[in-house]
Amino acid sequence: MTPERPRGADAIPARDELIVGAAVEPSVTPPSDRGQLYAALDLGTNSCRMLIAQPKGSQFQVVDSFSKTVQLGVGLEASGRLSRASMGRTIQALRICQKKIEKHQVRRMRLVATEACRRARNARDFIRQIRRETGLALEIIAPEEEARLAVISCAPLVSRRTEQLLVVDIGGGSTELVWIDLSAVPRDDRPKAIMRLHSGFTPQGIGPEARVVDWISVPLGVATLKDQFGDVDDDAARFALMSWYFEENLASFSPYNAENPREGFQIIGTSGTITTVAASFLGLRRYDRTKVDGLHMTSDQIDTVIRDYLTLGPEGRRTDPRIGRERHSLIMSGAAILQALMRIWPTDRLSVADRGLREGLLYAQMSADGVLEDGPYK
């Protein structure tokens, strides 16, 4: 497979499921003043997830949410098509989303599909079927936009000290990486500079801007990478091969000088894999987003968790409450991607983000509408 890349460093136009034992969702708090509501839906290779939220200051407040494993990409690697069973599961999940949107009378929404629908030969027919059966108008977005939205979602976690930023989004069917130079942006304005990318990765010419140095979309996520090595029986050997193979697919992504110092460099990782590893490190038997989102983990801490997963073996991982039954079969492919990333970038720390495409979709819509106040992002 050939990773998708832009035609130039700045030529970019305007998660897997986060489940650890129980569904990982932001706390849902009814807003005191029901104003304009926004919906964001992410139909990925492994999961269907939605947020309904209301702008509140410089942030948004979640009103309702939905998360369901649909395994849309099952069998796609072999057949090139979405199966009837996976489409049926997805339609059922989308009907629930439609009812929630109708219940809350949401008028502003963006509903997107990613890698599985980008690759499937029958994806367009499926999108039309969704419209007929649920009334929902989904759009298949390009890898470039998926990468941009992942970056926007992580804006609140950008440190004032960060001069070089790498945002990594490990999905079910693909992994997006975006490298951003913030060195020309005043420290206090760096998170806001990331948020301004909602209109595109090309600088808008209004003051010091975040500059996208390079980006890549690797067509390997937790589900697709697992499928690639499903015929390898040995657990440790399969893990090593997956990590090596993913690193090989990053060979053309090298936007930095390897001799650069580690100071001022930050990696932010967003995915169910990364939040699961963080929850395992913290020993959480029940997931707590407030403890995971924004957590900093060192390479050694990540490696310790991964070694523990390997020691547990497939059966041990299946019954480990820190991983959860919906995650156990995908955790090692995700861990292989994570280990490869930490092996090749010039840092030994990772910022954990329990946020992703849905949050990026919400921020982008609200920023475009001008309904977010100017203030600190949290």
Side-chain angles (χ1 to χ4, degrees), residues 83-189:
S83 72
R84 183 173 297 180
S86 65
M87 290 190 293
R89 289 191 298 269
T90 302
I91 292 287
Q92 289 178 355
L94 289 170
R95 285 195 179 107
I96 298 174
C97 294
Q98 189 275 331
K99 289 178 181 177
K100 286 178 175 285
I101 289 171
E102 189 176 77
K103 171 187 172 183
H104 293 288
Q105 300 180 340
V106 180
R107 296 291 178 264
R108 285 285 281 127
M109 68 191 79
R110 189 129 187 250
L111 320 174
V112 306
T114 57
E115 186 67 11
C117 288
R118 286 195 290 261
R119 293 176 56 194
R121 293 196 302 269
N122 58 339
R124 298 292 176 182
D125 291 338
F126 180 48
I127 294 297
R128 286 192 286 269
Q129 180 185 353
I130 291 171
R131 183 65 179 265
R132 286 196 310 271
E133 297 192 21
T134 70
L136 299 179
L138 270 68
E139 58 179 305
I140 303 172
I141 60 171
E144 305 97 293
E145 185 167 13
E146 185 175 1
R148 176 173 63 85
L149 292 165
V151 168
I152 294 169
S153 76
C154 293
L157 300 181
V158 176
S159 168
R160 294 174 62 254
R161 298 186 297 274
T162 297
E163 295 190 352
Q164 302 294 321
L165 173 69
L166 175 64
V167 176
V168 179
D169 181 14
I170 306 173
S174 65
T175 298
E176 281 67 45
L177 297 92
V178 183
W179 190 290
I180 300 170
D181 183 354
L182 291 164
S183 58
V185 181
R187 286 192 171 195
D188 288 342
D189 199 35

Side-chain angles (χ1 to χ4, degrees), residues 101-337:
I101 289 171
E102 189 176 77
K103 171 187 172 183
H104 293 288
Q105 300 180 340
V106 180
R107 296 291 178 264
R108 285 285 281 127
M109 68 191 79
R110 189 129 187 250
L111 320 174
V112 306
T114 57
E115 186 67 11
C117 288
R118 286 195 290 261
R119 293 176 56 194
R121 293 196 302 269
N122 58 339
R124 298 292 176 182
D125 291 338
F126 180 48
I127 294 297
R128 286 192 286 269
Q129 180 185 353
I130 291 171
R131 183 65 179 265
R132 286 196 310 271
E133 297 192 21
T134 70
L136 299 179
L138 270 68
E139 58 179 305
I140 303 172
I141 60 171
E144 305 97 293
E145 185 167 13
E146 185 175 1
R148 176 173 63 85
L149 292 165
V151 168
I152 294 169
S153 76
C154 293
L157 300 181
V158 176
S159 168
R160 294 174 62 254
R161 298 186 297 274
T162 297
E163 295 190 352
Q164 302 294 321
L165 173 69
L166 175 64
V167 176
V168 179
D169 181 14
I170 306 173
S174 65
T175 298
E176 281 67 45
L177 297 92
V178 183
W179 190 290
I180 300 170
D181 183 354
L182 291 164
S183 58
V185 181
R187 286 192 171 195
D188 288 342
D189 199 35
R190 286 172 183 173
K192 296 177 186 176
I194 297 296
M195 191 68 72
R196 287 197 292 270
L197 295 173
H198 74 85
S199 58
F201 277 166
T202 303
Q204 302 299 305
I206 306 173
E209 294 286 350
R211 183 174 69 90
V212 175
V213 178
D214 201 2
W215 75 279
I216 191 171
S217 179
V218 182
L220 293 169
V222 295
T224 46
L225 185 60
K226 172 179 174 286
D227 289 346
Q228 288 274 334
F229 294 90
D231 58 346
V232 180
D233 292 330
D234 184 85
D235 194 45
R238 182 170 58 251
F239 173 79
L241 286 168
M242 289 190 296
S243 188
W244 167 82
Y245 184 64
F246 184 83
E247 184 173 341
E248 285 290 299
N249 276 265
L250 286 177
S252 60
F253 181 71
S254 54
Y256 73 100
N257 183 334
E259 298 179 357
N260 283 347
R262 297 184 179 205
E263 293 300 319
F265 177 66
Q266 182 183 10
I267 295 183
I268 299 179
T270 171
S271 75
T273 291
I274 293 172
T275 56
T276 300
V277 168
S280 296
F281 166 68
L282 295 172
L284 302 180
R285 297 179 67 85
R286 182 173 179 80
Y287 190 85
D288 186 342
R289 183 182 189 271
T290 62
K291 294 179 179 178
V292 171
D293 189 49
L295 177 73
H296 299 288
M297 294 187 69
T298 67
S299 296
D300 288 343
Q301 290 168 339
I302 292 169
D303 285 343
T304 297
V305 172
I306 293 174
R307 285 197 300 270
D308 182 38
Y309 288 163
L310 286 168
T311 301
L312 285 171
E315 182 58 28
R317 293 192 295 267
R318 188 182 69 81
T319 58
D320 191 321
R322 301 170 304 163
I323 299 173
R325 292 187 177 182
E326 304 235 17
R327 169 65 47 190
H328 74 90
S329 66
L330 300 172
I331 189 60
M332 295 315 297
S333 52
I337 294 172

Side-chain angles (χ1 to χ4, degrees), residues 352-363:
V352 179
D354 183 350
R355 53 190 72 215
L357 187 54
R358 294 176 305 169
E359 287 82 359
L361 288 164
L362 288 172
Y363 277 130

